[in-house]
Amino acid sequence: MKYLFAAVLMATTIAGFGAANAAGGCGPGMHRGPEGGCRVNGGGVVVVERPVVVERPVVMVRPGRVCPIGFSWRYGRCRPL
């Protein structure tokens, strides 16, 4: 039983080193920069603004009056031009 425990302990230790090597040797949460130094992962926070919604006022238009050709709407009824 103690050999099994020792084998599991050794396997987890090796797996832990593999994760650090995968990150370029810098450890978790870091990576190698262009100059070879370790840098923190992440970067700036991007904030996206919501679009501004401008509601137009409701315009009520009365139905238009249609007069025959040669007439126009004046004084509440169709009158000749």
Side-chain angles (χ1 to χ4, degrees):
M1 186 65 152
K2 63 181 169 178
Y3 291 115
L4 178 63
F5 178 72
V8 170
L9 182 63
M10 188 64 130
T12 55
T13 304
I14 292 172
F17 286 130
N21 288 337
C26 294
M30 301 185 80
H31 67 278
R32 292 276 179 194
E35 301 291 323
C38 293
R39 292 184 158 190
V40 178
N41 288 343
V45 177
V46 178
V47 177
V48 179
E49 294 184 21
R50 295 183 346 185
V52 177
V53 178
V54 178
E55 294 190 25
R56 291 183 253 165
V58 178
V59 178
M60 300 294 291
V61 179
R62 291 179 42 196
R65 305 287 183 184
V66 179
C67 295
I69 295 175
F71 289 82
S72 66
W73 185 261
R74 290 181 290 163
Y75 308 113
R77 66 183 201 137
C78 289
R79 298 194 182 259
L81 294 173

